[in-house]
């Protein structure tokens, strides 16, 4: 099992699949003999799903995730809830790649519900915040930027509560995402605040020459143009291009 994961990390996915399949055969036998819990077998199906996803075989991956999901449809332990939440999250990723956005949203919501069961209904948690962000991305892929903005804002609120107002790169990402959506919606004054906050945090936590810093500079430049601030737009896009050249 561990060897399979290591090979997977090295990109040797086909070898990893072989090892995971051998482990699956063994675990199916153990499960039939009631020697391992359902979550162990579900985890093995999930591992094969991850391998197929790395190969871009999204439909195959979904098939493995469904088999794992079927084993723990009504999770009775926290370990099962954690495993099912992970499976739903991974299945959502595949549905998004296949442009099956409604299915992706459904799985992300199931994952979020299970995470709330684990951490508490009103819990502020970094993992839950990540799911909020993923939902926002799916709405963006559908072209619903208002709905996407709403979920990015929920994500920022939770991250701020989770980190207790301590600023970091996750908070920067949320500000960037919100600023970008506000710019797309033509709310450029509000976008400016979030983009400047994102830029300040990315400079602090990632550095002046990081590509994510350049990404925020690019969006900020576009926003300056929309506000007819040509001087600031030229300055920020020049810095973004300089960072990109250094990264080549």
């Amino acid at each position: 099992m561990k060897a399979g994961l290591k090979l997977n990390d090295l990109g040797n996915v086909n070898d990893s699949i072989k090892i995971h399949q051998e482990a699956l055969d063994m675990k199916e036998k153990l499960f039939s003999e009631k020697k391992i819990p359902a979550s162990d077998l579900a985890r093995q199906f999930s591992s094969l799903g991850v391998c197929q996803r790395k190969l871009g075989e999204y439909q195959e991956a979904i098939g493995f995730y469904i088999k794992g999901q079927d084993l723990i449809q009504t999770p009775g332990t926290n370990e099962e809830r954690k495993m099912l939440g992970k499976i739903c999250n991974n299945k959502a990723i595949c549905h998004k790649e296949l442009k099956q956005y409604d299915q992706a949203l459904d799985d992300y919501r199931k994952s979020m519900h299970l995470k709330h069961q684990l951490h508490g209904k009103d819990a502020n948690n970094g993992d839950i915040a990540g799911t909020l962000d993923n939902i926002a991305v799916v709405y963006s892929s559908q072209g619903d930027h208002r709905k996407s903005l709403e979920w990015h804002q929920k994500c920022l609120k939770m991250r701020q509560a989770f980190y207790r107002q301590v600023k970091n790169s996750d908070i920067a990402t949320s500000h960037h995402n919100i600023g970008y959506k506000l710019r797309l919606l033509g709310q450029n004054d509000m976008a400016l605040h979030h983009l400047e906050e994102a830029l300040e945090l990315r400079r602090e936590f990632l550095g002046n020459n990081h590509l994510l810093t350049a990404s925020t500079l690019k969006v900020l430049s576009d926003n300056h143009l929309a506000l007819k601030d040509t001087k600031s737009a030229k300055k920020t896009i020049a810095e973004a291009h300089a960072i990109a050249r250094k990264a080549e």
Side-chain angles (χ1 to χ4, degrees):
M1 178 71 169
K2 289 183 179 178
L5 288 172
K6 186 176 181 181
L7 286 167
N8 200 0
D9 290 339
L10 292 171
N12 207 344
V13 183
N14 287 320
D15 287 339
S16 186
I17 288 173
K18 182 180 178 181
I19 292 171
H20 283 308
Q21 186 62 56
E22 290 172 355
L24 175 63
D25 294 341
M26 179 185 69
K27 288 194 174 184
E28 283 184 316
K29 184 176 184 299
L30 291 172
F31 180 70
S32 69
E33 296 170 353
K34 299 183 179 180
K35 293 181 178 179
I36 60 170
S39 58
D40 276 12
L41 183 56
R43 184 177 294 106
Q44 197 59 49
F45 279 118
S46 179
S47 294
L48 279 162
V50 170
C51 291
Q52 293 294 338
R53 178 162 62 85
K54 285 179 178 290
L55 290 173
E57 300 290 344
Y58 301 116
Q59 204 61 56
E60 290 288 330
I62 288 170
F64 281 114
Y65 292 138
I66 288 173
K67 287 179 180 179
Q69 189 175 11
D70 287 344
L71 286 164
I72 44 177
Q73 276 291 354
T74 53
T77 66
N78 280 343
E79 181 61 28
E80 289 179 346
R81 291 184 187 95
K82 185 176 180 180
M83 189 68 248
L84 185 56
K86 184 177 180 180
I87 289 172
C88 289
N89 184 82
N90 287 338
K91 190 150 69 78
I93 293 170
C94 293
H95 281 306
K96 179 182 175 295
E97 291 297 328
L98 292 170
K99 302 188 188 311
Q100 298 168 349
Y101 300 124
D102 289 339
Q103 293 97 317
L105 288 170
D106 184 56
D107 277 321
Y108 275 135
R109 287 194 174 98
K110 287 177 182 176
S111 177
M112 183 171 61
H113 175 70
L114 288 159
K115 289 171 184 177
H116 277 300
Q117 286 185 343
L118 281 169
H119 302 290
K121 182 181 178 182
D122 299 318
N124 293 306
N125 177 273
D127 195 21
I128 297 172
T131 302
L132 296 174
D133 209 41
N134 288 335
I135 290 172
V137 170
V138 175
Y139 277 119
S140 182
S141 297
Q142 288 181 310
D144 192 341
H145 298 304
R146 290 190 184 280
K147 201 73 174 176
S148 179
L149 172 62
E150 177 186 328
W151 285 87
H152 279 311
Q153 289 169 329
K154 289 179 181 180
C155 177
L156 174 60
K157 183 178 179 181
M158 182 169 289
R159 280 175 171 164
Q160 287 174 328
F162 177 64
Y163 293 115
R164 299 183 181 183
Q165 301 299 325
V166 176
K167 296 178 179 181
N168 57 34
S169 60
D170 284 344
I171 300 294
T173 296
S174 286
H175 279 296
H176 174 95
N177 291 337
I178 290 170
Y180 179 61
K181 289 300 179 301
L182 286 167
R183 189 190 71 76
L184 290 178
L185 292 168
Q187 300 177 38
N188 303 107
D189 288 322
M190 292 177 65
L192 182 63
H193 162 71
H194 287 284
L195 292 170
E196 288 180 337
E197 184 73 15
L199 181 60
E200 179 182 340
L201 292 174
R202 284 186 163 172
R203 287 192 194 280
E204 180 178 355
F205 293 102
L206 301 177
N208 289 327
N209 295 317
H210 198 283
L211 286 175
L212 287 177
T213 303
S215 175
T216 299
L217 283 164
K218 171 65 171 63
V219 180
L220 185 57
S221 176
D222 292 341
N223 198 73
H224 282 314
L225 280 176
L227 291 169
K228 303 188 186 308
D229 185 353
T230 307
K231 182 178 179 181
S232 295
K234 287 181 178 179
K235 180 180 178 181
T236 49
I237 197 62
E239 186 178 353
H241 287 162
I243 295 170
R245 283 194 296 271
K246 288 179 182 178
E248 290 177 352

